[in-house]
Amino acid sequence: MKDYYIDEEDRTKRPKILGMTASPVDVRSNFDRTAKYDFCLCPNMSAVYLRVSRELEVMLHSQIATTADLALLRTSVSRPNEIVVKYGKLQYPYSTRLCQEMEARYGHMETLSKIFTYSRKAASELGEWCADQIWSFAMAERQAIKAERQIEKTFNNERKHKPVEMLDAELRDLREAQTFVKEWTFGEPAIDIKSLSSKTIVLRQYLNFIYERPTNARCIVFVDQRYTARLLGDLFARIGSKHLRPGILIGTGFGDMGDVKLSFKEQMMVLHKFKKGDLNCLFATSVAEEGLDIPDCNLVIRFNLYSTLIQYIQSRGRARHAASKYLHMVEDGNGVHFQALKDVRQGEDVMRQFCESLPSDRLLQGNDADLDSALVKEKNFRTFVDPVSGAKLNYISSLAVLGHFASCLPAGSSPPTFVLTAEHGQYTCEVVLPEGSPLHSAKGRPSLKKMIAKRSAAFEACVLLRKGGHLDENLMSTHHKHLPVMRNAHLALGMNKSSSYGMKIKPRIWEISRGSVPGSLFMTILELEHPENLGRPSHPIALLTRTRIPDLPSVLLHLQVKKTSNMIFTSLQDGFQIPKDSLSKLNSFTLRIYKDVFNKTFETNESAMSYWFAPVIEGFKGIIHEKKPERLVDWTTVNYVDENEGWKWDIECPHDELSDRYMVDRWDGGRRFFSIKVLPNLRPQDAVPDDAAPHKYMNTIIDYTVSLFSKSRQNAAWRQDQPVIYAHRILHRLNWLDEYTEEENKVKKNAYVCPEPLLFSALPASIAAMAYLLPSAISRIESYLIALETCDLLGLVIRPDLALEAITKDSDNTEEHRQEQIHLQRGMGKNYERLEFIGDCFLKMATSISIFCISPDNDEYEYHVRRMLLICNKNLFNTAIDKKVYEYIRSVGFSRRTWYPQGIQLLGGKGFKKSGEEEYQHRLGDKTIADVCEALIGAALLSYSDNVDMDMAVKAVTALVSSSDHGVAQWADYYKLYTKPTYQLAEATAVQRNLAAQIEERMGYRFRYPRLLMSAFVHPSLPSFGGIPCYQRLEFLGDSLLDMACVNFIFHRHPGRDPQWLTEHKMAMVSNRFLAALSVKLGFHKHIRFSGQLVEFQNRDYAMDVQEAERDSNGARDYWTTAKNPPKCLSDVVEAYLGAIFVDSEFDYSEIERFFDDHIRWFFEDMSIYDTFANNHPVTHLHNLLTLSLGCSDYRIMASPISNAAGTDIDHQVAVVMIHGEVVASTTAASSKSAKVKASEKALKELSGLAPFEFRSKFGCGCTVEEVQEAHMGEVGTAI
């Protein structure tokens, strides 16, 4: 400054520099000793600051200034909670055993002198393990080579004074030292005071508290030496928590032997990993205090204390995260440490006093003060006074008036756009109003200030609007939004609002011809795909019905523990004539199954029967093709069962005839047996073997067999010479749709019985074994048939399995997947949630296309409103209520009571006293009914996905939205609705044709209508570009098309994932960040037409950033997540382009899929790399924080409706987050989804910065690891 700056007499040539610092003067490390002495003695230390600062200003020819309002600074910058952590007194520096050995052998080597010093100091401050590691670092191959070169260089400089033999000897000693260290056994660090210092142990304890569980916490540990950072980094990689991911951040300069450095690029990589979370704890030198862009931290630890106030302030500034902590590590009893702590706190107060004492001309007042003065000086400043009301408009109020006017337009969500241009040292601004405004734009007067130019343009626009009658005498807009009656919360339905509805139990097909004796029947064969898994022989059974049952999917039955089999339903096409006597025999056979197997006695009434059972002959598959179903019936068995109530046993009966029989306890309907063999070594009066299944009478085998009450048993006499049969007692298990549990498997099945008291059923044992599976089979068949009736109701043809899935609600809170399922109905199969996810997406796309076609000239806002009226839950709910869809929803699993046939009277068995048929009711939430509608759309789509046929899904949308805005019956009808607008058909210019040619070369698609393509690149700042509208209409259409392509991909690629996971990971695919990066990759950003330089600058700046991110990514597919937030127009043009090619191709959806496959699929082949991106959703983030990071399972995120004052309708939803019964956060919103998101965000702020031990203390949490794992692993997600 003194030599060059002051000597320059021409002040215009002197450079002007703006410098910013945390502390303008650090008097403890600057200037002469007198200043320091004054500082220590002077009671008014701010005076010392003032004197030193003046010297600094004179030397640097500068002025020190500060903010006018320090209180504002303190409120805008969060300050960490400072904590003093004490550690035990350290030993004086000493030599470890390795260091002593090295001293004895190589202590004469000057090259190693600093290593000896480092090692002794590390032994004291860090511990012996770290002290020894210094030798490992110093004697590494690379360091040894560097030392050799340094020795040789030093020798050459002094060659005249030393013989070459001395050089050889020193190099030989160095190599011997390297070998000695390499052969030394270092071992792993022990957690004790010998291996580690008290200081290191305390640091480990605190870091283990913070990183006890998975966490998003970021920590920086400041040290004063590079080797300390490296040693601690290596140490904590070994002894730290498994959730601690340490790294080091040190300077770029060259260090001594054994020291390390990082290049600038390596520093940037470390910071990048720290930002992403690959590293979560940095051991850093002073390089991390300032200069580098380091993400906000939760925790800063001063392992080595600061030596200056600036170090203290700057390192503390790294703890900018809310609820962060700043730890001072001080040695117990160390007066120097405590004095340093006292000095920085006192010094900060002094610096604040110094800043506050600066004269007014040194206080920065901000832009507003300059702006106000500029407004006073502005020569062209004008006002407008309304002649009617006297309302006054000036430059300042014009911005608010214009903003309010824009918000009242139909497209009011888009604010005015201000475009500034510079010319001859002045700024001119043009304001462009949103589409739909009667005034397109207005230009202000030139001004020296950008803000005044902007206000001038707003002022001119307001004056023109008032003159045109678009502002009234009070300067209020004469345009008003005509919002639909069903808006905001009224479009949503509460999940908790439910009502009771009738529920179908039996399909209509059973009733079609019931009431008369049928003359013909149709056959459906029921057989197991893997009968061996049942554990005993079984035989297929035929289901005979009055009308043909459609082809139905198989059903999975759980036969034993981890043994399953599909039951296959084979419905034969041809019926057969059935004589009355044959029907009577089939009736007897069917009623015998109900009687002997299920202990139910029904009346004999063929005209009231819904269906019959029949045994199937052996080898039926060989003749099934003959189309004579009657030949498949095993009439021999049917006749035998019809003629005999049971098989007769007598004492003369051979023992082998007692094997493989189905036996029934005459007096206990719950006891049934399959006989295995006769045990000749046992007698009726023998004791019951220990492995027998329990019974109330266990004295003797004959007692065990008989279930008579005590009085009747006294009168009963049984043969004592009858054999004893070893049998298996049959479990009373009817619901084979649910998993076979270990508890069921542990139930004893062995039985020892005598034949005389028992009834031997006429049913063959293999038929009886199959009959036990009939309740599950019939229940699922009836569910399939009811699901198909739902489709008939809506005029749809859907696959039975998908139709049933779409109407299945398996718990009271199916929609709440972050909570434990309430009243879960097991064995119902898949519920509607995944189908609802894809059906919702198709519904959005279908209605978007229809609305776009019907009203091609409407603005985007009107599109959104009309679509919302179609797809809102309330509209779907109302349609479902009108069509009584609620009757068909399956909300109850298998029932022992309802699987039996209706129409015939029960004469005996449980429930026979009931008269008439019961009416069944179930409670359904309004949203559940709406969700089922979306699921049916999804089922209609997937039923024909193999043929890429969306006609049935289109038909489903029409049936369920019930609106003239969507009246098409098939996909091809959409294009018939579309009338090409004039701008699309007009002749293209050379510029437009050139754009189409460039796009064709890059994208491979040739546009028939280049003007349509041009529309996709016209920014809203140019609402009309040569008669071509901006891209907003096409973007509306393309958004829904892209959404469908992404959902279709992720849905089929991840068939086992729940809707929450699918929704969160889809967010990455359709996010502005990804689409903007794709836009740049495809070069779309180069073709956007816009008004003003701001859009161009933002696009160019982002393009450079994301391209650099791609270059540095080494092929990583998620490189775009590391780029800055992009301008929205870049993602908009991708969606608009998709809308353009869809329209240009005459609504060929395959072009959308081709675009997806060519340009998007590659990024998302591995969705796991976007888990972090997906977990940014507040509800998911909160869930993971509580379960994974804090180890808590006792929490709930709930939403409930709030009625308005009249209590007639839902106005809002309230959501709360509860932890261990304590409300942590609550909020209200228009929908439960929004309320939960807001409540989760508030809860995250409340929990931010809490370590697990602090969380447990605050909320009294004592959740075990097992509880947390069960809560986390057992839950599935939902699209909230």
Side-chain angles (χ1 to χ4, degrees):
M1 285 291 178
K2 288 184 290 186
D3 293 340
Y4 301 102
Y5 190 87
I6 303 299
D7 290 343
E8 177 59 58
E9 294 181 0
D10 186 354
R11 291 180 174 269
T12 61
K13 294 183 179 180
R14 293 180 181 179
K16 293 179 174 62
I17 302 170
L18 171 65
M20 291 184 289
T21 178
S23 172
V25 180
D26 187 355
V27 294
R28 293 201 60 180
S29 60
N30 293 292
F31 311 113
D32 54 60
R33 296 181 180 177
T34 304
K36 294 183 180 181
Y37 182 76
D38 290 345
F39 176 79
C40 296
L41 296 180
C42 181
N44 184 9
M45 286 181 287
S46 61
V48 179
Y49 258 89
L50 185 59
R51 184 176 65 80
V52 175
S53 66
R54 284 174 179 171
E55 292 179 7
L56 180 66
E57 288 183 328
V58 170
M59 291 176 63
L60 298 182
H61 201 76
S62 62
Q63 285 187 343
I64 296 175
T66 188
T67 178
D69 188 354
L70 292 175
L72 180 63
L73 181 64
R74 288 192 289 271
T75 58
S76 61
V77 179
S78 61
R79 180 165 179 162
N81 178 26
E82 298 190 42
I83 302 172
V84 177
V85 177
K86 297 180 183 179
Y87 56 88
K89 193 170 183 62
L90 300 177
Q91 299 184 53
Y92 288 107
Y94 67 96
S95 297
T96 65
R97 190 164 67 87
L98 172 59
C99 190
Q100 292 171 2
E101 295 282 348
M102 293 293 291
E103 284 177 327
R105 289 175 169 81
Y106 313 107
H108 62 281
M109 296 183 65
E110 186 177 350
T111 306
L112 301 181
S113 61
K114 286 189 176 181
I115 308 302
F116 285 117
T117 302
Y118 288 164
S119 177
R120 296 185 192 103
K121 184 178 178 182
S124 168
E125 187 175 45
L126 305 179
E128 291 191 3
W129 186 88
C130 292
D132 290 347
Q133 287 299 309
I134 287 183
W135 290 105
S136 177
F137 298 159
M139 293 292 105
E141 187 67 28
R142 185 175 178 182
Q143 293 294 327
I145 292 173
K146 185 166 71 171
E148 288 180 0
R149 291 173 180 172
Q150 184 61 39
I151 292 173
E152 190 173 4
K153 179 180 178 182
T154 303
F155 176 81
N156 290 333
N157 293 336
E158 302 176 356
R159 189 170 181 177
K160 296 178 181 179
H161 309 289
K162 295 181 180 179
V164 72
E165 289 79 11
M166 291 185 65
L167 172 63
D168 294 339
E170 192 168 2
L171 292 177
R172 183 172 59 252
D173 287 346
L174 180 64
R175 296 189 190 101
E176 287 179 2
Q178 183 185 10
T179 303
F180 182 81
V181 171
K182 188 181 296 184
E183 294 175 352
W184 185 269
T185 302
F186 288 95
E188 291 296 315
I191 313 300
D192 56 41
I193 199 64
K194 182 174 177 58
S195 183
L196 304 178
S197 70
S198 60
K199 187 176 185 180
T200 308
I201 290 175
V202 169
L203 177 64
R204 175 182 177 272
Q205 290 172 345
Y206 204 89
L207 289 179
N208 279 359
F209 280 142
I210 300 301
Y211 296 102
E212 176 186 350
R213 304 186 64 82
T215 177
N216 291 326
R218 301 287 192 278
C219 172
I220 298 180
V221 180
F222 281 102
V223 298
D224 58 3
Q225 298 286 335
R226 296 182 186 180
Y227 76 83
T228 307
R230 181 174 181 181
L231 289 169
L232 289 177
D234 284 8
L235 175 65
F236 279 89
R238 290 174 165 85
I239 68 172
S241 159
K242 67 178 181 179
H243 304 298
L244 176 71
R245 298 181 290 278
I248 64 172
L249 183 62
I250 57 179
T252 59
F254 289 96
D256 298 317
M257 182 179 179
D259 213 343
V260 289
K261 71 180 183 72
L262 292 181
S263 68
F264 181 73
K265 184 175 181 180
E266 288 172 327
Q267 287 181 341
M268 293 302 100
M269 289 301 297
V270 168
L271 293 177
H272 177 67
K273 291 180 179 179
F274 190 58
K275 182 178 181 180
K276 288 184 64 177
D278 296 339
L279 302 175
N280 57 15
C281 180
L282 294 183
F283 295 93
T285 58
S286 59
V287 70
E289 292 175 358
E290 60 177 326
L292 295 176
D293 181 18
I294 298 179
D296 295 357
C297 297
N298 308 75
L299 176 65
V300 170
I301 301 176
R302 289 297 319 202
F303 186 78
N304 294 119
L305 290 180
Y306 25 76
S307 58
T308 68
L309 176 62
I310 290 180
Q311 279 191 324
Y312 164 64
I313 293 175
Q314 290 176 333
S315 60
R316 189 185 68 189
R318 293 306 185 188
R320 294 190 296 266
H321 197 279
S324 58
K325 299 179 180 65
Y326 184 87
L327 268 64
H328 311 256
M329 293 192 67
V330 298
E331 185 180 19
D332 193 13
N334 190 323
V336 175
H337 285 187
F338 285 96
Q339 184 62 41
L341 181 62
K342 178 181 178 182
D343 287 347
V344 294
R345 290 178 173 173
Q346 191 175 28
E348 187 176 18
D349 292 336
V350 171
M351 187 181 70
R352 185 179 297 109
Q353 294 172 16
F354 164 75
C355 292
E356 291 173 346
S357 66
L358 288 173
S360 59
D361 61 344
R362 300 294 186 90
L363 301 181
L364 301 177
Q365 299 295 332
N367 291 333
D368 288 343
D370 291 337
L371 179 60
D372 291 339
S373 62
L375 288 174
V376 172
K377 299 174 183 178
E378 182 63 44
K379 296 179 180 179
N380 296 322
F381 184 81
R382 296 186 302 153
T383 59
F384 171 83
V385 179
D386 188 271
V388 178
S389 65
K392 186 176 181 180
L393 177 74
N394 57 33
Y395 272 29
I396 297 176
S397 63
S398 61
L399 287 174
V401 172
L402 188 62
H404 180 265
F405 172 80
S407 69
C408 294
L409 295 172
S413 58
S414 175
T417 302
F418 292 89
V419 182
L420 285 164
T421 57
E423 186 176 1
H424 304 303
Q426 290 186 311
Y427 296 99
T428 302
C429 180
E430 180 181 10
V431 60
V432 181
L433 276 70
E435 189 173 3
S437 169
L439 176 68
H440 170 239
S441 64
K443 183 176 290 188
R445 297 181 179 182
S447 174
L448 295 174
K449 300 288 183 179
K450 291 181 180 179
M451 179 56 71
I452 297 177
K454 182 178 178 181
R455 293 182 174 182
S456 175
F459 180 84
E460 298 291 346
C462 291
V463 171
L464 293 174
L465 289 170
R466 177 65 183 113
K467 290 179 179 179
H470 307 296
L471 292 177
D472 63 17
E473 65 276 10
N474 297 312
L475 303 181
M476 302 297 289
S477 175
T478 57
H479 297 258
H480 301 284
K481 281 185 184 177
H482 298 288
L483 296 177
V485 176
M486 296 171 57
R487 66 183 184 270
N488 299 334
H490 300 287
L491 294 175
L493 295 171
M495 287 186 290
N496 297 327
K497 183 180 180 182
S498 62
S499 303
S500 183
Y501 301 95
M503 178 176 61
K504 283 184 174 291
I505 294 298
K506 295 295 179 181
R508 191 174 61 252
I509 192 173
W510 298 153
E511 307 171 12
I512 289 178
S513 58
R514 203 164 61 195
S516 61
V517 176
S520 61
L521 297 175
F522 288 83
M523 178 180 292
T524 301
I525 298 176
L526 283 53
E527 60 175 324
L528 292 175
E529 183 179 13
H530 297 289
E532 68 277 5
N533 287 344
L534 184 59
R536 66 165 294 103
S538 62
H539 194 74
I541 290 178
L543 175 67
L544 303 175
T545 56
R546 299 169 182 265
T547 58
R548 182 181 179 273
I549 290 180
D551 295 328
L552 300 176
S554 58
V555 57
L556 184 67
L557 302 181
H558 299 268
L559 304 178
Q560 298 187 72
V561 175
K562 296 183 180 179
K563 288 188 178 182
T564 62
S565 174
N566 282 317
M567 177 170 281
I568 301 172
F569 307 127
T570 304
S571 180
L572 305 186
Q573 291 288 340
D574 301 305
F576 64 95
Q577 299 299 312
I578 184 73
K580 287 187 177 181
D581 60 331
S582 298
L583 182 64
S584 177
K585 294 177 180 180
L586 290 175
N587 204 64
S588 296
F589 181 86
T590 303
L591 296 181
R592 177 55 57 188
I593 287 179
Y594 290 134
K595 172 65 177 175
D596 288 359
V597 178
F598 304 110
N599 195 35
K600 290 287 191 291
T601 303
F602 288 99
E603 66 170 327
T604 301
N605 184 355
E606 289 90 346
S607 64
M609 291 287 283
S610 300
Y611 49 80
W612 294 264
F613 301 122
V616 180
I617 62 172
E618 296 284 351
F620 70 92
K621 292 184 179 180
I623 62 171
I624 198 171
H625 64 280
E626 296 181 3
K627 298 184 178 181
K628 295 183 178 179
E630 65 274 14
R631 292 186 56 194
L632 303 181
V633 177
D634 182 0
W635 291 106
T636 301
T637 300
V638 171
N639 291 333
Y640 180 82
V641 172
D642 177 55
E643 296 167 0
N644 299 277
E645 182 178 351
W647 178 75
K648 304 295 184 182
W649 172 85
D650 59 46
I651 198 65
E652 303 296 331
C653 179
H655 287 181
D656 58 353
E657 291 190 17
L658 289 173
S659 301
D660 197 27
R661 295 282 181 181
Y662 177 59
M663 304 179 295
V664 178
D665 189 325
R666 299 174 189 269
W667 304 284
D668 186 345
R671 296 184 85 210
R672 303 285 191 273
F673 308 92
F674 287 122
S675 66
I676 308 299
K677 61 181 178 180
V678 171
L679 299 176
N681 59 323
L682 292 180
R683 297 290 180 268
Q685 291 301 321
D686 290 347
V688 178
D690 294 338
D691 64 342
H695 185 46
K696 55 185 175 181
Y697 302 109
M698 298 287 290
N699 293 329
T700 64
I701 292 176
I702 191 65
D703 284 339
Y704 180 83
T705 306
V706 179
S707 296
L708 289 169
F709 290 109
S710 299
K711 292 184 179 179
S712 301
R713 296 171 71 85
Q714 295 174 2
N715 300 326
W718 310 105
R719 297 183 64 107
Q720 299 302 312
D721 56 349
Q722 61 182 306
V724 172
I725 303 171
Y726 169 59
H728 283 167
R729 181 175 177 179
I730 303 170
L731 291 180
H732 198 55
R733 187 175 201 269
L734 301 184
N735 185 13
W736 302 86
L737 300 169
D738 192 9
E739 291 187 9
Y740 203 101
T741 64
E742 289 289 349
E743 287 70 21
E744 289 178 297
N745 194 47
K746 292 176 183 178
V747 175
K748 292 182 178 180
K749 302 180 183 66
N750 293 334
Y752 302 88
V753 294
C754 297
E756 186 181 10
L758 300 176
L759 169 67
F760 287 80
S761 175
L763 295 172
S766 59
I767 294 294
M770 190 68 173
Y772 273 98
L773 307 180
L774 288 176
S776 297
I778 294 298
S779 177
R780 184 52 56 89
I781 288 173
E782 290 179 338
S783 292
Y784 279 138
L785 295 176
I786 291 173
L788 292 177
E789 288 178 11
T790 313
C791 300
D792 294 339
L793 175 74
L794 301 172
L796 306 175
V797 179
I798 298 177
R799 273 174 31 194
D801 57 328
L802 293 173
L804 178 56
E805 182 179 341
I807 64 170
T808 297
K809 174 183 171 61
D810 58 0
S811 70
D812 288 356
N813 58 335
T814 299
E815 306 87 353
E816 291 285 350
H817 301 280
R818 284 300 186 195
Q819 308 298 334
E820 181 180 356
Q821 298 298 281
I822 301 173
H823 298 151
L824 178 63
Q825 305 287 317
R826 300 189 180 277
M828 292 187 71
K830 298 178 181 178
N831 62 32
Y832 63 71
E833 55 173 4
R834 272 179 59 91
L835 290 179
E836 180 227 340
F837 171 73
I838 195 169
D840 172 75
C841 186
F842 186 87
L843 173 63
K844 173 185 172 183
M845 181 184 72
T847 51
S848 298
I849 296 173
S850 179
I851 290 170
F852 179 86
C853 294
I854 292 172
S855 307
D857 294 325
N858 271 13
D859 58 67
E860 183 191 18
Y861 177 77
E862 287 296 331
Y863 284 165
H864 281 288
V865 170
R866 292 177 66 177
R867 183 176 68 186
M868 181 55 67
L869 291 172
L870 293 182
I871 69 176
C872 68
N873 285 332
K874 193 160 190 176
N875 183 47
L876 296 175
F877 170 77
N878 289 336
T879 301
I881 293 298
D882 290 342
K883 297 180 181 294
K884 297 185 178 181
V885 173
Y886 53 79
E887 292 185 352
Y888 300 86
I889 295 175
R890 304 290 86 200
S891 64
V892 178
F894 174 82
S895 171
R896 294 171 178 267
R897 296 164 47 205
T898 60
W899 82 271
Y900 295 107
Q902 289 183 344
I904 55 175
Q905 186 176 352
L906 180 63
L907 303 178
K910 190 173 181 179
F912 78 95
K913 294 183 179 180
K914 295 181 180 180
S915 59
E917 294 184 1
E918 294 184 68
E919 290 186 4
Y920 291 89
Q921 300 279 319
H922 58 168
R923 292 196 68 83
L924 298 174
D926 294 356
K927 187 175 183 300
T928 295
I929 297 174
D931 288 346
V932 166
C933 294
E934 293 176 333
L936 286 167
I937 295 171
L941 176 66
L942 295 180
S943 294
Y944 302 90
S945 59
D946 293 342
N947 301 323
V948 198
D949 183 353
M950 294 188 278
D951 287 349
M952 194 58 62
V954 171
K955 192 175 182 180
V957 171
T958 299
L960 290 165
V961 301
S962 188
S963 169
S964 58
D965 275 350
H966 193 284
V968 296
Q970 57 187 355
W971 183 267
D973 291 345
Y974 285 129
Y975 188 65
K976 296 176 183 177
L977 283 178
Y978 181 65
T979 302
K980 298 182 184 69
T982 305
Y983 87 87
Q984 179 180 340
L985 297 172
E987 182 178 357
T989 64
V991 172
Q992 294 157 4
R993 292 195 299 271
N994 181 54
L995 173 62
Q998 292 182 57
I999 293 297
E1000 179 184 358
E1001 182 179 358
R1002 177 66 180 85
M1003 306 300 296
Y1005 179 82
R1006 183 179 182 83
F1007 268 84
R1008 306 171 196 177
Y1009 301 99
R1011 290 173 64 84
L1012 185 65
L1013 173 63
M1014 178 61 77
S1015 178
F1017 290 100
V1018 176
H1019 190 267
S1021 62
L1022 293 173
S1024 181
F1025 181 72
I1028 298 175
C1030 72
Y1031 60 57
Q1032 290 179 325
R1033 295 181 180 88
L1034 291 174
E1035 177 212 345
F1036 170 82
L1037 178 62
D1039 168 74
S1040 64
L1041 294 167
L1042 175 63
D1043 214 41
M1044 188 70 241
C1046 293
V1047 164
N1048 199 46
F1049 167 79
I1050 198 172
F1051 182 91
H1052 289 94
R1053 191 163 182 96
H1054 302 279
R1057 292 293 190 175
D1058 58 77
Q1060 171 100 4
W1061 189 94
L1062 295 174
T1063 300
E1064 291 167 351
H1065 286 73
K1066 185 205 75 171
M1067 287 167 59
M1069 305 175 76
V1070 299
S1071 67
N1072 287 334
R1073 294 178 67 184
F1074 168 68
L1075 294 179
L1078 180 64
S1079 181
V1080 172
K1081 191 173 185 66
L1082 298 177
F1084 284 0
H1085 64 295
K1086 302 175 183 177
H1087 304 296
I1088 300 176
R1089 269 59 173 176
F1090 49 82
S1091 173
Q1093 298 174 346
L1094 181 61
V1095 176
E1096 180 183 13
F1097 170 77
Q1098 291 175 336
N1099 291 349
R1100 184 174 64 248
D1101 184 53
Y1102 173 76
M1104 293 173 61
D1105 185 69
V1106 76
Q1107 287 168 344
E1108 182 179 356
E1110 183 178 11
R1111 284 193 299 269
D1112 296 342
S1113 67
N1114 296 320
R1117 304 188 185 197
D1118 62 341
Y1119 70 86
W1120 55 270
T1121 61
T1122 64
K1124 63 174 66 176
N1125 286 330
K1128 187 174 182 298
C1129 66
L1130 292 177
S1131 58
D1132 289 346
V1133 296
V1134 174
E1135 294 172 338
Y1137 173 78
L1138 288 172
I1141 60 173
F1142 182 71
V1143 174
D1144 189 79
S1145 64
E1146 298 182 354
F1147 293 26
D1148 184 356
Y1149 184 73
S1150 65
E1151 288 295 338
I1152 305 299
E1153 291 183 320
R1154 185 176 70 84
F1155 178 92
F1156 179 89
D1157 292 338
D1158 291 347
H1159 305 294
I1160 297 180
R1161 177 189 288 267
W1162 178 83
F1163 290 91
F1164 301 100
E1165 294 285 352
D1166 179 11
M1167 291 301 296
S1168 64
I1169 63 178
Y1170 299 106
D1171 286 345
T1172 302
F1173 188 96
N1175 289 339
N1176 287 333
H1177 190 286
V1179 179
T1180 303
H1181 188 183
L1182 178 61
H1183 169 73
N1184 291 337
L1185 174 68
L1186 288 167
T1187 56
L1188 299 180
S1189 300
L1190 300 175
C1192 180
S1193 61
D1194 187 2
Y1195 69 92
R1196 291 196 69 188
I1197 308 171
M1198 302 172 291
S1200 297
I1202 306 175
S1203 297
N1204 60 18
T1208 56
D1209 207 347
I1210 297 174
D1211 274 343
H1212 288 87
Q1213 294 271 340
V1214 60
V1216 297
V1217 176
M1218 295 184 67
I1219 301 177
H1220 287 280
E1222 178 182 342
V1223 176
V1224 177
S1226 63
T1227 187
T1228 60
S1231 67
S1232 61
K1233 172 184 175 181
S1234 299
K1236 287 183 179 180
V1237 168
K1238 290 182 179 180
S1240 298
E1241 289 173 341
K1242 291 179 68 174
L1244 287 169
K1245 290 181 180 179
E1246 181 71 22
L1247 301 175
S1248 177
L1250 288 181
F1253 72 95
E1254 294 171 316
F1255 174 84
R1256 289 193 290 269
S1257 174
K1258 182 173 183 178
F1259 294 98
C1261 178
C1263 298
T1264 64
V1265 175
E1266 292 76 14
E1267 289 172 339
V1268 176
Q1269 288 177 342
E1270 181 181 354
H1272 183 72
M1273 299 301 293
E1275 291 168 353
V1276 292
T1278 184
I1280 313 171

